[in-house]
Amino acid sequence: NRLLIYLNDILFKNLNNNNNNDDDFNRSKKLIKSAISDNDFMKNLEQFQIDEITDCMYPVEYAKGLFIIKEGDIGSAVYIIEEGTLEVTKGGRFLSKMGPQKMFGELAILYNCTRTATVKGLLFFLGCNFLSL
Ligand code: CMP
């Protein structure tokens, strides 16, 4: 009944790279790269930018049912779902559900706007904090 989020923070880069569990480490990297290349707005980044984002991600646990992103807030992080389903709403209206390997929260970062929708988390996912890059 917990959420696992992977946040991206340059301070944690060494921690991440010193991960002793190579299988988990490589699986996470693959997931992040796949999510980025599947995102219409992120897939055109330079390879070095994708590598930098990937290298800096680290896991954080969230309580189940938490609002990950609230519409109208200022955003400083993007996220990648590792496992589970998230719900996207706007003005209280259902927009869509998102599953594993999906990146979200990129719009406020890329376009320097407030969060365009609310995202509620259910299970496990990954995240990335762009402010720290
Ligand atoms: P951002 O605006 O930063 O924060 C809310 C996120 O929800 C947004 O980035 C997108 O990643 C995601 N999002 C916004 N609109 C939709 C939609 N119609 N369907 C799925 N995801 C969306």
Side-chain angles (χ1 to χ4, degrees), residues 39 69 75 77-78 88 90 95-98 102-109 113-119:
N39 183 287
I69 288 177
V78 298
V88 185
K90 190 174 174 73
L95 283 184
S96 73
K97 281 196 171 174
M98 304 185 289
K102 174 92 177 162
M103 174 176 257
F104 64 96
E106 77 288 16
L107 298 181
I109 312 303
C113 60
T114 54
R115 296 299 195 183
T116 61
T118 292
V119 181

Side-chain angles (χ1 to χ4, degrees), residues 13-26:
K13 195 167 185 171
N14 288 337
L15 230 177
N16 197 356
N17 286 344
N18 288 338
N19 190 333
N20 288 328
N21 190 335
D22 284 348
D23 282 351
D24 281 355
F25 184 57
N26 290 329

Side-chain angles (χ1 to χ4, degrees), residues 17-109:
N17 286 344
N18 288 338
N19 190 333
N20 288 328
N21 190 335
D22 284 348
D23 282 351
D24 281 355
F25 184 57
N26 290 329
R27 190 176 53 81
S28 294
K29 281 201 154 196
K30 241 175 110 175
L31 172 70
I32 295 160
K33 286 195 167 149
S34 154
I36 291 174
S37 59
D38 193 47
N39 183 287
D40 287 341
F41 301 95
M42 303 292 284
K43 65 184 176 194
N44 297 320
L45 290 176
E46 299 288 341
Q47 188 56 49
F48 82 89
Q49 293 173 305
I50 293 174
D51 288 343
E52 191 161 49
I53 292 164
T54 306
D55 286 348
C56 296
M57 296 192 99
Y58 70 96
V60 177
E61 274 188 46
Y62 270 63
K64 192 180 178 187
L66 201 84
F67 286 91
I68 311 309
I69 288 177
K70 280 193 176 154
E71 184 182 351
D73 279 359
I74 289 167
S76 62
V78 298
Y79 307 87
I80 296 168
I81 304 165
E82 183 179 311
E83 200 180 312
T85 310
L86 311 188
E87 188 183 65
V88 185
T89 57
K90 190 174 174 73
R93 198 168 53 88
F94 173 82
L95 283 184
S96 73
K97 281 196 171 174
M98 304 185 289
Q101 300 205 9
K102 174 92 177 162
M103 174 176 257
F104 64 96
E106 77 288 16
L107 298 181
I109 312 303

